[in-house]
Amino acid sequence: MEEIKDTEKQILNAAKEIFLQKGFDGARMQDIADKAGINKAMLHYYFRSKDRLFESVFRELTSNIFPKLFQSLMSEMPFEEKLKSIVNNYMDFLVINPDLPLFVFREINSNPERIANILKDVVKIDDFKNQLKGNVDNAISESGLENIDATQVVLTLLGACIFPAIAKNLIKIVFKMTEDDYVDLMIKRKEQLPKILINGLKK
Amino acid sequence: MEEIKDTEKQILNAAKEIFLQKGFDGARMQDIADKAGINKAMLHYYFRSKDRLFESVFRELTSNIFPKLFQSLMSEMPFEEKLKSIVNNYMDFLVINPDLPLFVFREINSNPERIANILKDVVKIDDFKNQLKGNVDNAISESGLENIDATQVVLTLLGACIFPAIAKNLIKIVFKMTEDDYVDLMIKRKEQLPKILINGLKK
DNA sequence: TTATTATTTAACCATTTGGTTAATACGAAA
DNA sequence: TTTCGTATTAACCAAATGGTTAAATAATAA
């Protein structure tokens, strides 16, 4: 474990909040300093520049969940079991971190280079495509899945989990939900998704 | 049809591109002017401020598809038919406008007030929740759907369509796809989704 | 043609924003 | 206590950015 100075940690936490909500372009160094309750110069003292601070934040936010998710997708478990485990773990994660996916997609879109650069040491995607294909093709033959592309399976699975997180604020407006309502929705979804997905993807 | 001056239209088109890719915060008035090939002062001459220009762009981008989508969701067609029609229409739309959903969600997240303000005259969501519930409940009893919440049905349907659009750039990186590959993926998905969704949501 | 109005531009302006710096406060070792 | 490196701050700075303006140009009506 790296020893992280108290101030440094405060900055990182404040920066996480601001970057998550406002994105790189919308985030203001002064706002981050204010939220951390310290002088703006400290941001540069500890992290040098907005870019570097952002990079640290992005790394902290993704370096756990990204590899974990990729690993889960590649694991050799039987398909149905694997799917259930991913849905469970990932939905729990999303209830706690509802704005991470939108953050990631937003940044990829508005500044692909910056993110591609960071991503390549956060996660090894070198041969993800082929490994995944092999892995899902097996599942198809073993457990009577509809013969569809591995990519489609992954998109269906991830979309079913992630979309409600991305759309969180719109959902709350359109369906007039409180925060509690939303959490409820996600918990119920966690229970219902495996069946929906398995039935949907089966032959 | 409103007559729109040539310059005004050029500005609007350039602004669409820039706002879609960079979002409100990342967009630069100068970049929009450059892309439109006109002097920056023209932006203010025609649209007064960045906020107003953004508002016009947002309206143009959403004022067709939003009500159309809401209407489709509320239509009284038999459930399976309705679902197929939504998937078809909406997937076609997304292939042509892949960055609209991310744009909308992004802006809702980073500046909820601004968007809520615009949205309320773009689409009537007053009693969407109850109308939708009635509508889907009917479908449940009529066509042997699993007894799940209407909200979940809508999220599953929309997520399955929209997520691949939101994730477009990441998908292209992770699966090493060209633009053509991606379009292929979406076209195939359009064919496969109705079956996946209906099987998944059925009892 | 001339007067008048609408359109366009280059040069500015004020504010915001990321970043720096010089001076100060603090803490630990000597 | 003194010394010395670390942490912190207030005051600045330069560049970027949204927005304005006065003058010029084009278009239109008289």
Side-chain angles (χ1 to χ4, degrees), chain A residues 42-193:
Chain A
M42 291 278 83
L43 304 185
H44 296 96
Y45 181 79
Y46 282 103
F47 295 93
R48 204 170 200 96
S49 68
K50 189 183 182 185
D51 278 83
R52 300 266 201 133
L53 175 56
F54 177 85
E55 200 181 313
S56 295
V57 165
F58 192 95
R59 280 220 155 75
E60 269 219 0
L61 286 172
T62 59
S63 62
N64 268 357
I65 186 65
F66 261 60
K68 199 170 144 191
L69 182 59
F70 273 62
Q71 268 180 13
S72 305
L73 286 170
M74 312 282 257
S75 90
E76 297 291 345
M77 270 188 258
F79 183 76
E80 295 200 10
E81 206 179 308
K82 176 162 121 180
L83 186 144
K84 275 179 200 166
S85 129
I86 293 177
V87 167
N88 272 317
N89 291 326
Y90 202 42
M91 289 295 284
D92 285 342
F93 174 84
L94 288 173
V95 170
I96 302 170
N97 306 277
D99 33 14
L100 185 64
L102 181 52
F103 168 74
V104 172
F105 290 122
R106 181 216 312 245
E107 298 304 327
I108 287 183
N109 220 242
S110 59
N111 199 330
E113 311 81 40
R114 186 184 2 238
I115 305 304
N117 233 9
I118 307 176
L119 266 189
K120 70 182 165 204
D121 28 89
V122 168
V123 77
K124 275 270 154 284
I125 53 167
D126 274 353
D127 210 31
F128 179 66
K129 189 179 179 177
N130 292 321
Q131 277 190 257
L132 182 75
K133 187 170 164 26
N135 190 283
V136 173
D137 285 348
N138 277 348
I140 290 174
S141 52
E142 277 170 23
S143 56
L145 278 195
E146 182 66 43
N147 184 21
I148 58 177
D149 196 31
T151 314
Q152 302 281 359
V153 175
V154 172
L155 287 183
T156 305
L157 165 58
L158 293 186
C161 297
I162 296 177
F163 180 74
I166 292 177
K168 177 177 180 184
N169 284 299
L170 187 59
I171 292 172
K172 284 169 75 173
I173 295 175
V174 170
F175 295 107
K176 292 175 183 153
M177 286 187 178
T178 65
E179 180 65 25
D180 285 346
D181 293 336
Y182 175 77
V183 173
D184 260 22
L185 174 88
M186 290 297 271
I187 291 174
K188 275 199 197 111
R189 191 167 181 80
K190 188 173 84 173
E191 307 304 326
Q192 297 170 341
L193 264 189

Side-chain angles (χ1 to χ4, degrees), chain B residues 69-75 82 86 128 132 135 154 157:
Chain B
L69 182 59
F70 273 62
Q71 269 180 12
S72 305
L73 286 170
M74 313 281 260
S75 92
K82 176 162 117 179
I86 293 176
F128 179 65
L132 182 75
N135 191 283
V154 173
L157 165 58

